[in-house]
Amino acid sequence: MPTSKTPPRHRSVTLLSVGHGCVDIYQGAVAALVPFFVSERAYTYAAASAVVLAATLLSSVVQPLFGVFTDRWALPWLLPVSTLAAGAGVALSGLGGSYPLTLLAVAVTGIGVAAYHPEAARVAREVSHGSHTAMSWFSLGGNIGFALAPLLVSAVVATAGLRASPLLAVPALVGAVLCATALRSTRTSATAAAATRAATAAGRDDWASFTRLTGAIVCRSIVFVGLSTFLSLYVHQRTGAGSAAGTAALFVLYLGGAVGTVAGGRLAARYRRVTVVRWAYALTVLAVAGVVFVPGPPLYVFVALTSAGLYVPFSLHVTLGQDYLPRRVGTASGVTLGLAVSVGGIASPAIGALADATSLHTALMPLIAFPAVGWLLLRTLSEPGTPRAAAPPTPDGARPTPAADTGHRP
């Protein structure tokens, strides 16, 4: 925990990172609840994947809208409020047996997550002064939340059933307190947000590059959400082991993100971000193929490699998007940070329907192609600002962003 001697900037990033983890528990929790919906309520694969869709579709559509709002106004109160909403949806999803009410509950979670990310990313950018490394630590908090989700859900629901789901609201309560504390520490205000927008007014938005980046993120998202939804069931079938084997695989997928996210920030300190991102997508093609085709315990190795390939570019997506759209940081954050973990849910019902018609093994095969498509979209991208004389990296490895170049401090 931060001490009284911790610099305010580091203390604020730490609080935001832990708060981010509390929110992203609920993105991981929805997928982790799928096996219990199948076993306790006899949902088909398609019905179970539609639950994930309910949590992600609204988030995919609404999140950029929240980004547009945060570009115009500072909305720091969204952080604690959206955290509570995300937790409330998951807490209510296990109560009662009504399928429509379950969909409604997880949709509330999706809206809470959508409201949180653009404003949180804007605040993190202000606090860190555009540092890629600091953003990787902020993203790390969310990835740890993802990693803890299956363990938390399993500990609560496997022990007491879906009706114990209200206990899953505890992280939301903790996260709301941490977010409120971080906001008091950073003193984020409408004046600070206005100063940031004025400082970046000289920047030029590169929509063509941002669109290609977004396309790659969509490909990454389809792979990640597809595996998050069905990996636990797939590993259980593939290895012949108990349900714990599936939970362990999901934990490896999420926990590897912690390593990958930090590695992405470090690699960006030595190489161009676009280069790091391209290599990560290439690795993911081979890793997903291993998950699909390699039998037995070695499958876990390829799950870990897939996790690394998916997460190394995670925080770099955010900073690249913000630098491609320096005048619309909130919009860029809403698309890159939120879309990266939500829009893939749109493809989940198709995967589930294919699995019902054939098998999970067959349904997961198309996931191998998506990171290859993402690599093709990224192949012609250039580092933001490279057509001009690029400034040297800062000591922490971040190339100055338009906000950082002006010397603005929140």
Side-chain angles (χ1 to χ4, degrees):
M1 294 296 293
T3 67
S4 59
K5 294 183 179 179
T6 304
R9 170 183 169 183
H10 295 166
R11 180 168 59 249
S12 298
V13 170
T14 300
L15 290 170
L16 289 169
S17 178
V18 179
H20 189 191
C22 291
V23 171
D24 278 6
I25 279 177
Y26 297 106
Q27 297 207 65
V30 174
L33 284 167
V34 165
F36 298 100
F37 288 138
V38 171
S39 61
E40 289 194 30
R41 297 180 179 175
Y43 289 175
T44 64
Y45 290 139
S49 60
V51 172
V52 179
L53 175 64
T56 57
L57 181 58
L58 278 177
S59 182
S60 300
V61 174
V62 173
Q63 196 149 198
L65 297 179
F66 279 107
V68 172
F69 294 151
T70 60
D71 282 334
R72 299 190 63 182
W73 305 286
L75 303 172
W77 55 268
L78 272 180
L79 271 63
V81 170
S82 59
T83 300
L84 293 174
V90 165
L92 294 173
S93 67
L95 300 180
S98 169
Y99 186 69
L101 289 179
T102 300
L103 294 177
L104 178 62
V106 297
V108 170
T109 291
I111 292 173
V113 169
Y116 173 85
H117 282 99
E119 181 68 5
R122 183 190 67 79
V123 173
R125 180 181 173 91
E126 285 189 0
V127 169
S128 66
H129 308 156
S131 165
H132 308 325
T133 302
M135 187 62 76
S136 73
W137 285 104
F138 170 71
S139 300
L140 172 64
N143 297 337
I144 291 176
F146 262 103
L148 293 178
L151 300 182
L152 179 63
V153 169
S154 182
V156 172
V157 180
T159 302
L162 285 170
R163 290 189 175 275
S165 62
L167 294 175
L168 298 175
V170 172
L173 299 175
V174 175
V177 172
L178 291 174
C179 288
T181 303
L183 292 173
R184 285 197 299 269
S185 177
T186 59
R187 301 182 186 277
T188 300
S189 65
T191 302
T196 300
R197 291 194 298 272
T200 59
R204 184 175 62 182
D205 293 334
D206 182 355
W207 283 101
S209 295
F210 183 77
T211 300
R212 292 200 296 275
L213 175 67
T214 300
I217 292 172
V218 169
C219 293
R220 182 258 185 208
S221 176
I222 291 172
V223 175
F224 180 78
V225 178
L227 288 178
S228 296
T229 305
F230 296 109
L231 183 64
S232 181
L233 293 169
Y234 177 69
V235 170
H236 173 55
Q237 293 179 4
R238 188 79 168 165
T239 63
S243 60
T247 300
L250 199 59
F251 178 69
V252 170
L253 179 68
Y254 292 164
L255 184 63
V259 178
T261 301
V262 174
R266 297 296 183 185
L267 289 170
R270 299 189 61 183
Y271 310 102
R272 291 184 184 276
R273 287 170 289 174
V274 291
T275 301
V276 175
V277 172
R278 285 193 203 109
W279 278 105
Y281 276 70
L283 168 65
T284 304
V285 176
L286 300 176
V288 175
V291 171
V292 174
F293 292 113
V294 174
L299 183 151
Y300 286 94
V301 175
F302 287 96
V303 172
L305 290 174
T306 298
S307 179
L310 291 172
Y311 274 106
V312 162
F314 190 80
S315 66
L316 305 184
H317 288 152
V318 181
T319 59
L320 281 169
Q322 291 175 338
D323 289 350
Y324 284 135
L325 300 184
R327 295 185 176 186
R328 294 172 175 83
V329 169
T331 300
S333 301
V335 172
T336 54
L337 186 59
L339 194 65
V341 291
S342 60
V343 77
I346 297 173
S348 289
I351 298 172
L354 181 58
D356 286 331
T358 56
S359 68
L360 265 180
H361 182 257
T362 300
L364 294 179
M365 287 182 184
L367 297 183
I368 300 170
F370 284 99
V373 174
W375 181 87
L376 290 174
L377 290 170
L378 295 165
R379 190 171 61 87
T380 58
L381 278 187
S382 60
E383 191 77 13
T386 50
R388 300 181 298 274
T394 58
D396 71 352
R399 294 185 183 277
T401 63
D405 289 341
T406 64
H408 166 65
R409 296 293 180 267

